[in-house]
Amino acid sequence: MTPTNSAEQALDEALALVSRAPGGGGPGGSGAGGHRAATWQRARDTATHAGSRVRPRTHQVPLADALGEVLAAALDALTDLPSFDSSAMDGWAVAGPGPWSVRSGGGVLAGSERPEPLTDGEAVRIATGARIPADTTAVIRSEHCREAGTQLFADRPVLTGQDIRPRGQECRSGDLLLPAGSLVTPAVLGLAAAAGYDELTTRPRPRVEILVLGDELLAEGRPHEGLVRDALSPMLGPWIDRLGAEVVGTRRLGDDPAGAAALLQAVTTSTADVLVTTGGTASGPVDHVHPVLREAGAELLVDGVAVRPGHPMLLARLGTGAPDGPPVRHVVGLPGNPLAAVSGLLTLAEPLLRALAGRRSRPRYTAAVQGDVPGHPYDTRLVPVLLSDEHAVPLRYHGPAMLRGVAAADALAVVPPKGARSGQELEILDLPWASGGCFT
């Protein structure tokens, strides 16, 4: 075993021990759960580390299909840019000092054949992007000169090389344009096309399958007689898509033994990189996620997080990633309450998916909170906020089962244990649609 692998294994074991260490109901403990919940930041770090350990896949795709993926190979210049001297403006190409004699016939247009060289004292009309005739001294913008018969006069001094884009001004053939690991944005597509690329080598977006658990969920109509609408199926797919993943399917499973069997089959046979479940992560009589993961031989990396809402979330790993073994897959178990599920998405799913996709972590930033924010005695709280020019303004309706607050929010504020005072700087987690999300 190499030192690097040994260090990674030691870190894995340490993170797992932190997640599983026995604990009671005190600070960071889960009480009846029989394990000590990971701190919120440690849980996010564990998710990032888990994703970064997976051997990346790569593929070659046409430019149009690369949007939102990450470069798996450096983008090198295939040619000089520009590949010829060109005009930066509509105007006149001139040779030598003025005034100049205007060349008869048509001017030089972009995309036309190589123009005839200029002789000293000669001028020819030229369009933006057109090839510069040989022996040109400068380009004079149309608004900076005037014609008088067959003569052209400049209205201001003419500098050698003005308004000429020289060959290789942006890059020379072989120059590094972008390193591997760069996100393919619309601007990157434009750069790649300008540099002559038809395809890019990228890391494909991680594939995610969503399993929504619960017998109490209605697929349509109004809530009634103890049944509630399934708010998670419509929400999770688009949300995960904005995180840069590819959702390959969303299914609903019951809480009965048939549902537990279907969950086990999905965990053991799904071809997705990540399986996201909702509900069933606690210790109730129909909470099947933990027993199913044990039967599947999964390794629990995070088993509960000291965060409200969303405390009983989890992260598990299946497979070793060995060349002759099954690929590594992960299970993110979200609580069934809608806002608690959002908390789990931001805590575990987002950093895991970003790492699997090869994307860098979002820059961390803070904002001053407006008004005092109550806190949990021991756990972090995630509170929906609106962002103004100066403050993060907490919103009402932030209970675990409520979506009214987050639906109106720009972000979630990370409130430390025991709360925050008005004006205190809090870390801000942008919601993907408010921050522009991923280009997918």
Side-chain angles (χ1 to χ4, degrees):
M1 178 179 292
T2 66
T4 299
N5 290 339
S6 177
E8 285 189 348
Q9 183 179 11
L11 178 57
D12 280 350
E13 292 172 353
L15 291 173
L17 286 172
V18 169
S19 296
R20 300 177 191 155
S30 66
H35 61 268
R36 182 176 296 278
T39 65
W40 179 76
Q41 188 58 55
R42 176 54 66 99
R44 284 174 62 83
D45 291 344
T46 301
T48 298
H49 179 70
S52 63
R53 281 197 63 205
V54 176
R55 183 182 292 110
R57 304 191 312 273
T58 64
H59 62 178
Q60 261 197 325
V61 292
L63 291 186
D65 296 333
L67 189 63
E69 297 187 347
V70 168
L71 292 178
L75 192 72
D76 294 328
L78 301 179
T79 184
D80 296 346
L81 286 181
S83 56
F84 53 86
D85 294 345
S86 61
S87 177
M89 292 289 168
D90 292 333
W92 296 84
V94 299
W100 302 270
S101 297
V102 175
R103 177 185 287 178
S104 60
V108 184
L109 301 178
S112 62
E113 296 181 359
R114 184 186 299 273
E116 291 294 323
L118 289 178
T119 60
D120 199 37
E122 189 178 22
V124 64
R125 190 178 292 276
I126 194 167
T128 301
R131 188 192 298 263
I132 294 292
D135 300 322
T136 295
T137 301
V139 169
I140 307 174
R141 304 183 188 191
S142 297
E143 62 269 26
H144 295 165
C145 57
R146 52 191 168 81
E147 287 183 82
T150 61
Q151 295 289 101
L152 180 73
F153 296 87
D155 294 334
R156 58 184 65 189
V158 177
L159 303 177
T160 299
Q162 72 180 29
D163 287 326
I164 295 175
R165 295 177 182 145
R167 175 173 181 160
Q169 182 183 50
E170 185 170 5
C171 65
R172 290 292 186 182
S173 180
D175 284 353
L176 174 66
L177 300 179
L178 288 171
S182 300
L183 178 66
V184 180
T185 65
V188 172
L189 291 180
L191 175 63
Y197 283 86
D198 299 315
E199 294 182 329
L200 292 175
T201 302
T202 60
R203 293 178 61 165
R205 293 186 289 156
R207 302 182 304 270
V208 177
E209 184 176 3
I210 301 170
L211 300 177
V212 178
L213 313 181
D215 289 332
E216 76 282 10
L217 303 177
L218 292 169
E220 58 184 15
R222 299 180 183 180
H224 64 274
E225 299 178 354
L227 301 178
V228 298
R229 275 296 297 271
D230 173 14
L232 295 177
S233 293
M235 178 177 70
L236 291 181
W239 197 312
I240 289 172
D241 182 77
R242 292 301 295 267
L243 294 180
E246 176 189 358
V247 177
V248 298
T250 300
R251 289 189 283 157
R252 292 175 55 200
L253 303 179
D255 290 326
D256 56 1
L263 177 61
L264 177 61
Q265 183 180 31
V267 167
T268 53
T269 65
S270 175
T271 59
D273 302 300
V274 178
L275 202 65
V276 173
T277 67
T278 70
T281 55
S283 304
V286 293
D287 290 334
H288 300 307
V289 174
H290 279 91
V292 162
L293 291 176
R294 282 195 296 270
E295 188 170 350
E299 177 187 4
L300 278 174
L301 304 178
V302 175
D303 190 8
V305 180
V307 66
R308 309 289 169 155
H311 185 275
M313 67 182 74
L314 62 84
L315 172 63
R317 177 169 58 206
L318 297 105
T320 63
D324 56 346
V328 172
R329 294 180 293 116
H330 291 88
V331 178
V332 176
L334 306 178
N337 280 322
L339 188 58
V342 169
S343 174
L345 277 177
L346 296 177
T347 301
L348 295 178
E350 179 175 10
L352 173 68
L353 292 173
R354 291 186 75 90
L356 287 173
R359 299 177 64 199
R360 294 184 291 271
S361 299
R362 288 189 183 277
R364 298 175 65 176
Y365 75 96
T366 63
V369 68
Q370 180 175 296
D372 293 347
V373 185
H376 186 273
Y378 309 119
D379 295 350
T380 299
R381 284 187 68 210
L382 301 182
V383 176
V385 294
L386 279 175
L387 299 177
S388 69
D389 290 341
E390 298 180 353
H391 296 99
V393 182
L395 298 171
R396 298 173 60 195
Y397 308 108
H398 47 65
M402 298 180 181
L403 288 174
R404 186 172 173 182
V406 74
D410 298 316
L412 271 68
V414 182
V415 181
K418 299 182 173 58
R421 303 301 298 270
S422 184
Q424 183 174 336
E425 293 283 331
L426 298 180
E427 182 176 350
I428 300 297
L429 303 177
D430 284 326
L431 297 177
W433 51 87
S435 61
C438 179
F439 295 103
T440 54

